[in-house]
Structures are given as C-alpha cells and as structure tokens.
Amino acid sequence: MMKSLIKIMVVTFLMVLVFGSVSYSETLVRLDHPDLDDINVIGFELKKKGEIDIEAVGLRLKYRDDLNVYTWIIDYDTREPVWVMKDTRTSKVKGRRILRMAKASETLDKGKYELYLYSGSRLFSGISIHGTGDFFEFLGDLFKNDRYEEFEDYLDDCYVELSSDEISKGDIKIFDVNGDLPGALIKFNKLGDYEYVKRGFTVDTPMNLHIYAIFEFPSGNRTPVDYGWIIDADTRDKVWEIDRWNTDWAGGSRKNRKFDDEVHFKKGDYILYFVTDDSHSYELFNANPPYDPLNWGITILPGKDFKPSAFHDYEPATKSEPLIDFTQAQDNDYYEQPFKLLRETSLHIYAIGEYSYSNHEFVDYGWIQDAATGKMIWEMTSRNTQHAGGAKKNRMFDDNVTLPEGEYIAYYITDDSHSYLDWNDSPPFDPKSWGLAIYPAPEFKKEDFKKLSSADITVGSNILVKMVRVRDHEKKRDKFTLDRQTRIHIYAIGEGDRDEMYDYGWIIDDRTNRTVWEMTWRNTEHAGGARKNRLYDDDIILDPGTYEVFYITDGSHSFNDWNSPKPRDPINWGITISIVEK
C-alpha cells in the first residue's frame, strides 16, 4: 500500500515538473485577408523585451523577382525596419504555386512598433508611358475577370502572425497607426498624386530642424519626380532641397528615397514646398512601397538645439501684379516684351514649361536676352528648374535674377502640344501659370523698370551687324569697317549637316575678296531642337579694314516656318556681330 502511494506521488511530481515547465506560444498580433493594392498596418507596444515568433504567408507572381504581398515591422521611434519578409528567406506553400511562407524569430526591445502587410498586384509595373494612364486602366479592367480574380483568391491565404512564449497578451498594447510623428512642427504626410503643398515658417534665432521626407526618385532620372525644397523667403535662394546624394533608399522599390537628417537654419523667414507627380504615392503605389509608407511626403521636427519660442508660422506674401505676363500660354504661342532697367535690379521670375527628356531640352520655355547683342542673359534649363507637379516633363523656375542696367527682351515660346487647356499628359500643379511671369523682387523700385516697344530698343554702339529672324529664300548682306585690329564676337544660328550648310553666314575682306570667316558644321555646335540647327558663338580677331557680311537661307526651315523642331533661340536665326568690350 505504501509503495503504491509512493509511486502515485512520484508520477504526480513528474507530471507537475514536466507539464508545469512547458510554455505555450500565445498569438499577440495578426493581420490577414488583405485587399488588392492595399497597405494594412497595426501598432503594438511591448512592455518588456522578449523573443517574437513571426509566421507569414505572402505572394509572388510568376516571372517576378520580388514579392507582391509581404510584411515587415518598423521601430516606431527610429522609423527603421527591424524585420522584413524577403523572397530569398521564404519557402513554397505546398499546393499553392505562388504563395510563399516565412518563419522567423526576432528579439524586440521594450518599445513601440508598427506591423505592415502590403498587397500589390503591379501586373503592369515597369511600364512607364506618359499620357497612357486611361489605357492601362482599361487593361486592368480587361484582365480583372481572370488574372485579378485568381490573384484575389490567393489573398485570402495571406497573413502575418506574431506570437511568443516569453511575452503574453498582458505585455502588449495595441494602438492605431496614422504616420504622424510626435512633436511635428510641419506635417505633410500621406500625400497622394498631383499634390502641391507649401508652408512658411520663421526662426528668430539660428537653430537646427530635423527634416524627414520620403519621395520618388526613379533610377536614370537626374531629378526626383516627387520633390521638396525650402527657400529663403527674402532672397528666394534655396537653402535645402532633395537630391540623390543627400538621401538614402527608403525600402521597397529602388525609386523610394528618404531624407532623414538635421539642417541648420539662420535667422529668417522660409517657405517649404513639396510636389508630387501623377503616380506612385500614398494614394496608390505602382511598385513596392517604402518601409514607412504613411510618411510619403515631408515632416519637419525639432532639431537638437530647437527653441520652441523662436519658431513661428509665417504667411508668405502673395505675388504682386506681374511686370511682364506671358502666362496661360497655349500651343504654338510666341511672346516677346522688351524692357529697360535704369540700374542693377533684381527681378523675380516664375516660369513653367515642358522639358523633353528624350531630346534633353525644353520645348515650352522662356528666356531673356540682351536687346542689343542678342546674348542670352537667362534661360530655363534642366538644372535651374524643378519638377512642377503632374507629368515629370513639367518643369518650373521660381527664383530671383539680378540684371545690370541695360535693355532686354523677355521671350516665351511653346511647341504644338501640351500647354494650357490642351494637355497631352498630367498638367502641373499651377496650370494657369504655364508660361512666364516677371515680378518685382525685394528692393525693387518702380521707376527703374520700363517696358519698351521694339522701336524703342537702342542698338548698341558695339553692334556692327545684326541680321536676324531671317526667313526662307533670303540673301542678306551688310558691311562694317574697323580702324584697328579688333576682337569681334559672332553669334550665328543656321541650318546644316556634315556635308554642307543650308542657312549660314560668312565674312569677306573687301580688300582681298577672301573669306575670313564662315559657318561650317565643324566650327558650330548643336543649337537645340533638330540636330540640323547649328550655332556659332565665339570671338575672332580681324585686322583694320572693311568687311562684308552675308547670310543666306534655302527654301525651308527658317524663322517662324520650321519643318523640324526649332532651335533654342529661334529669334536670332541669322547673324549678329559685335565688338568685344575690353
């Protein structure tokens, strides 16, 4: 009897020892049944450190290198990923040909985290043809009844589950995630397509501000297509802007970029801008999103030496009446306006136009020339403009330009497509400003600016010959005399190819009847537009004497009658010769 009792006690003790030491894994967080092209997110806060077991089923379409449906976890405070489901670390789900399973364990510190489950079809990702959005929407509808339905069936099996045998449900707190960062001074997150936002702010004393921005910068592009920058409100100088070199990969698609750093600001007033194009945003990502998708856009936070009492909102002044207004420009428009400055003056130029990435030049654009010499003083270029919202070819110049005393001509021209009220792709954020407008800049004095007519323009004493705006079937000639050896500048635009020139100029010495200079393919460079547009822009030295200048054209492709894309400076088709001032 005693032996039996002892056996029962031993067995009971062993059962308590064995089963009492077994720990059961408890489900803490789960996301499942994602919708097509959706981002599911849940926040969780761990009250203690512990190991988390992760089990997830995602999806990879055939012939793709990365997952279409996958999951990840980011740290709430650092916004950095602590775990990401990667295709190389997944295995096939038996009997489900495109499903992929991941199992992992991660030790997470006490703190707050965000769990994401993304489901993107991206059947047409990698195709980028501007102006064809409606067509691809049609294709999406066309395939929805077969491939999309198949894709959606698999979504029901996709999920992510976090469990632990070290952390219980009592050690975790669930919270909603909206992407807002604590202490934000300025917040423009969850931005969608076609967004344009700006905000002014003032710092009363020098300080650092923390800028956190997530945006799109496709590989191969020289500039971002979702773009942020900050200017000094008084000088219009850029004090900060996004580029490839000051940003890092933001996770997901390689075109997702991130700026996350402190920037020093001097005392002054500033304006923050941010614009997005017509695709790939929080509204709908057309490729895998960044790890922190809810912060697509820009947020400004306190820096390390931030002084709350020295930071204020600032309302930027509205633009005054323009001095020159070429806005709402339409197809095949041409504008010009001479003006005179009686002293060195700063002008604020606001211009929006179209840049051809295939030809690497503007086709709708503005510029300013010296009225006498035709010399280019300012022009829109790919480097001094930024994305204007909408299609990436929309470019904008918004800055101050200082010009010396003198006479000038402002120009703006457009080609035969994509302009105000007749867009062939997404319009810019400010469509009514398509064109060019010139405004007063700080310290501008009204009496120092005067509009002129073409008849009012003074031909400078250094101009020897000016034969421009030459049309078809013309032969122009003029003479000039030099009383000493002189350096002259020749600015000539014409038409030619490697075999011969068709619209071109030359100079003959009257005494010897010999040609002392002639436009050729070899001594000219591309003038913009069609490759046959050629430019000579250089100095030569001539001895004392009388010289005759000729310029001839053939029967096609000349001023205002182009049969191919016009040159960048069509107004000066012809030749201008001036004395180089010492």
Side-chain angles (χ1 to χ4, degrees):
M1 182 74 178
M2 180 62 69
K3 288 183 178 180
S4 297
L5 181 61
I6 291 173
K7 286 182 179 180
I8 292 171
M9 291 176 65
V10 170
V11 171
T12 302
F13 173 77
L14 290 174
M15 289 177 66
V16 170
L17 183 65
V18 173
F19 291 102
S21 64
V22 174
S23 58
Y24 294 93
S25 184
E26 187 174 9
T27 299
L28 304 176
V29 183
R30 182 181 174 94
L31 292 174
D32 52 24
H33 297 94
D35 293 328
L36 189 66
D37 291 314
D38 197 14
I39 298 174
N40 294 271
V41 59
I42 189 171
F44 63 94
E45 181 176 3
L46 299 181
K47 297 180 181 179
K48 68 175 186 179
K49 180 178 180 179
E51 187 174 72
I52 301 292
D53 296 321
I54 306 167
E55 181 176 289
V57 171
L59 184 155
R60 186 189 69 193
L61 289 173
K62 194 176 181 182
Y63 307 121
R64 295 206 60 85
D65 296 326
D66 53 355
L67 295 167
N68 293 78
V69 179
Y70 65 106
T71 181
W72 66 92
I73 302 171
I74 68 170
D75 185 294
Y76 176 85
D77 294 316
T78 67
R79 316 309 296 171
E80 293 293 333
V82 296
W83 179 81
V84 179
M85 181 180 180
K86 296 183 178 179
D87 180 63
T88 55
R89 298 178 184 176
T90 62
S91 58
K92 293 181 181 179
V93 176
K94 188 175 181 180
R96 307 290 280 170
R97 60 186 179 83
I98 63 174
L99 293 182
R100 309 290 298 181
M101 174 171 278
K103 290 187 177 182
S105 294
E106 291 289 334
T107 299
L108 299 184
D109 292 328
K110 175 183 176 182
K112 298 172 75 174
Y113 300 89
E114 297 173 12
L115 172 66
Y116 289 85
L117 176 60
Y118 169 69
S119 55
S121 59
R122 299 182 294 113
L123 295 179
F124 301 108
S125 67
I127 300 175
S128 178
I129 305 176
H130 291 289
T132 55
D134 293 339
F135 173 67
F136 283 108
E137 286 182 12
F138 163 74
L139 284 182
D141 293 337
L142 185 65
F143 281 90
K144 190 168 185 177
N145 291 329
D146 40 50
R147 292 191 68 184
Y148 268 52
E149 285 187 359
E150 178 190 14
F151 185 92
E152 288 176 314
D153 288 342
Y154 281 101
L155 288 181
D156 290 337
D157 296 321
C158 295
Y159 68 90
V160 58
E161 183 176 281
L162 307 185
S163 59
S164 178
D165 55 12
E166 297 181 1
I167 296 175
S168 68
K169 284 189 175 180
D171 298 321
I172 189 170
K173 180 181 179 182
I174 302 299
F175 63 90
D176 292 330
V177 176
N178 57 19
D180 295 350
L181 303 182
L185 305 169
I186 297 175
K187 178 189 67 176
F188 293 121
N189 64 341
K190 294 189 280 192
L191 293 184
D193 298 340
Y194 306 111
E195 295 267 19
Y196 165 66
V197 295
K198 74 174 182 177
R199 178 75 63 81
F201 63 91
T202 298
V203 293
D204 294 331
T205 185
M207 68 173 71
N208 280 15
L209 296 175
H210 187 165
I211 301 177
Y212 185 67
I214 301 178
F215 61 99
E216 180 186 5
F217 198 148
S219 59
N221 272 36
R222 293 178 60 181
T223 58
V225 293
D226 293 354
Y227 182 57
W229 69 100
I230 297 175
I231 67 169
D232 183 302
D234 294 325
T235 65
R236 309 297 297 184
D237 292 336
K238 281 184 187 173
V239 298
W240 171 84
E241 66 178 323
I242 285 170
D243 62 37
R244 189 175 297 281
W245 313 115
N246 64 7
T247 57
D248 300 304
W249 178 51
S253 170
R254 299 307 304 181
K255 64 183 178 180
N256 300 327
R257 303 291 295 179
K258 175 177 66 174
F259 183 96
D260 185 11
D261 205 353
E262 294 200 356
V263 176
H264 184 72
F265 290 87
K266 298 177 181 179
K267 176 182 177 181
D269 298 325
Y270 299 92
I271 305 175
L272 162 69
Y273 296 87
F274 201 94
V275 298
T276 64
D277 70 348
D278 55 352
S279 64
H280 194 68
S281 68
Y282 182 72
E283 181 177 331
L284 179 65
F285 291 103
N286 61 20
N288 285 348
Y291 293 143
D292 190 4
L294 276 68
N295 276 299
W296 193 266
I298 188 166
T299 300
I300 294 186
L301 302 147
K304 60 184 178 182
D305 58 352
F306 178 71
K307 302 174 182 64
S309 61
F311 183 92
H312 314 283
D313 286 337
Y314 160 73
E315 186 64 34
T318 57
K319 287 186 173 71
S320 59
E321 286 295 316
L323 303 169
I324 295 174
D325 188 357
F326 299 154
T327 58
Q328 300 185 32
Q330 299 186 5
D331 292 348
N332 296 311
D333 267 347
Y334 165 74
Y335 298 91
E336 69 171 86
Q337 177 60 62
F339 64 94
K340 184 175 184 178
L341 298 177
L342 299 180
R343 69 179 182 98
E344 183 178 85
T345 303
S346 290
L347 302 172
H348 179 200
I349 301 176
Y350 184 57
I352 303 178
E354 178 186 4
Y355 183 79
S356 170
Y357 281 87
S358 58
N359 294 322
H360 305 291
E361 63 187 14
F362 275 90
V363 291
D364 292 7
Y365 58 99
W367 73 97
I368 296 175
Q369 290 179 335
D370 183 289
T373 66
K375 182 180 179 181
M376 191 78 71
I377 304 299
W378 167 86
E379 62 178 324
M380 294 175 71
T381 68
S382 61
R383 292 187 178 276
N384 68 12
T385 56
Q386 57 248 359
H387 182 223
K392 74 172 185 176
K393 63 183 179 180
N394 301 328
R395 304 288 296 173
M396 172 181 65
F397 181 94
D398 184 12
D399 205 349
N400 291 337
V401 173
T402 300
L403 301 179
E405 175 187 346
E407 294 181 352
Y408 302 92
I409 306 176
Y411 296 96
Y412 191 88
I413 60 175
T414 62
D415 67 354
D416 59 356
S417 64
H418 193 69
S419 63
Y420 182 63
L421 295 182
D422 190 18
W423 313 103
N424 63 17
D425 205 337
S426 304
F429 64 79
D430 187 5
K432 288 187 177 181
S433 292
W434 192 264
L436 177 145
I438 298 178
Y439 298 89
E443 301 182 8
F444 173 83
K445 293 183 179 179
K446 187 175 180 180
E447 60 271 17
D448 292 331
F449 177 90
K450 182 181 179 182
K451 282 187 178 180
L452 303 175
S453 68
S454 298
D456 294 329
I457 296 174
T458 304
V459 178
S461 58
N462 63 328
I463 298 297
L464 300 173
V465 171
K466 190 176 183 73
M467 299 183 295
V468 296
R469 307 189 189 197
V470 186
R471 296 180 177 271
D472 294 344
H473 297 298
E474 290 206 66
K475 183 172 183 179
K476 291 182 172 288
R477 59 197 300 172
D478 201 353
K479 285 189 176 184
F480 65 91
T481 300
L482 302 174
D483 57 8
R484 64 181 184 278
Q485 189 180 71
T486 306
R487 179 181 294 275
I488 65 170
H489 184 81
I490 303 173
Y491 184 80
I493 304 176
E495 176 190 12
D497 56 32
R498 293 184 182 276
D499 294 327
E500 63 178 313
M501 298 295 292
Y502 308 110
D503 295 6
Y504 66 103
W506 68 95
I507 302 173
I508 290 179
D509 185 323
D510 252 14
R511 182 176 60 84
T512 63
N513 205 35
R514 294 181 59 184
T515 300
V516 296
W517 172 86
E518 181 179 7
M519 276 183 84
T520 67
W521 176 270
R522 289 183 176 275
N523 69 11
T524 55
E525 60 188 32
H526 184 219
R531 292 302 303 173
K532 63 184 179 180
N533 299 328
R534 307 299 296 173
L535 168 69
Y536 185 95
D537 185 12
D538 206 352
D539 297 346
I540 65 170
I541 295 175
L542 293 180
D543 291 328
T546 298
Y547 297 88
E548 189 163 12
V549 184
F550 295 85
Y551 191 92
I552 63 171
T553 60
D554 66 356
S556 63
H557 194 70
S558 63
F559 179 69
N560 265 8
D561 189 18
W562 316 104
N563 61 20
S564 296
K566 56 182 171 288
R568 183 153 185 79
D569 180 11
I571 310 304
N572 280 302
W573 192 265
I575 185 168
T576 300
I577 300 174
S578 57
I579 296 174
V580 177
E581 297 178 351
K582 294 181 180 180

